[in-house]
Structure formats: structure tokens, C-alpha cells
Amino acid sequence: MTQQELIKTLETVEHPAISYSLIKLGIVSHVELNENKVNVVFAFPFPNIPIADVLINSIAQPIYDMGLEFEHSIRIMTDEEKNRFLQLEAEAWKG
């Protein structure tokens, strides 16, 4: 498994309410593969996102399915990242 293969797999994971991947939306802001362990940094537009666990699990599951370990951390988006996220959300909202 290479970093590129991992990213390609994770790029298929869409947000449940927005027709874009978590990577395109910037919610998954960093992915690092180190031997058998994947460290993912999630960037959320606001603190206390109600579906944070759903989003984290939607990324964790394919990682576990590949037989890899999963670690993650969470940060809040910068204003620039948040503005881009809100623009993409408006374009692709499924609601």
C-alpha cells in the first residue's frame, strides 16, 4: 500500500449531505501513511460538529478494511478553509 493508493481510496468517501469527498471538502486535511499506521487530520468548519463521529468512521472503515491501523486528530478550519468549504457545500448540498 502506497500513500497514493491510500489517498485514492479515501477520495471515494463522500460527505453524507454534500456530493463531494471529505478530501475535496478539506475535512480530511492531511493523511500520512507510516508503515502499517495511518494518521488522519480532520479539519472541521466549526467546533462540535454533530456528525463528527460519522465522518471520522467513514474514513476509518476503509483504512481498517485495508488492514491498517487508524489514528486521527481534529482541528478547526482556518477562515480561508472554511470559506472554501462553505462554497463547495452550497454547490453540492444534497438536502
Side-chain angles (χ1 to χ4, degrees), residues 67-78:
L68 301 168
E69 294 176 41
F70 170 73
E71 290 184 346
H72 75 281
S73 57
I74 296 172
R75 67 176 180 82
I76 302 302
M77 289 179 173
T78 64

Side-chain angles (χ1 to χ4, degrees), residues 4-54:
Q4 272 185 316
E5 291 169 327
L6 176 62
I7 299 287
K8 192 170 183 169
T9 298
L10 297 182
E11 282 176 339
T12 66
V13 179
E14 274 198 3
H15 189 287
I18 305 168
S19 295
Y20 284 136
S21 76
L22 297 183
I23 290 177
K24 179 172 179 143
L25 291 168
I27 290 172
V28 171
S29 69
H30 181 77
V31 177
E32 184 179 332
L33 175 62
N34 188 357
E35 293 181 22
N36 205 28
K37 191 177 291 183
V38 179
N39 190 337
V40 179
V41 177
F42 291 88
F44 292 129
F46 311 100
N48 305 316
I49 298 288
I51 64 166
D53 288 345
V54 171

Side-chain angles (χ1 to χ4, degrees), residues 15 17-18 24 28 39 41 48 58 61 65 79-80 88 93-94:
H15 189 287
I18 305 168
K24 179 172 179 143
V28 171
N39 190 337
V41 177
N48 305 316
S58 72
Q61 196 54 59
D65 290 346
D79 287 343
E80 186 178 320
L88 291 171
W93 184 254
K94 293 178 188 176

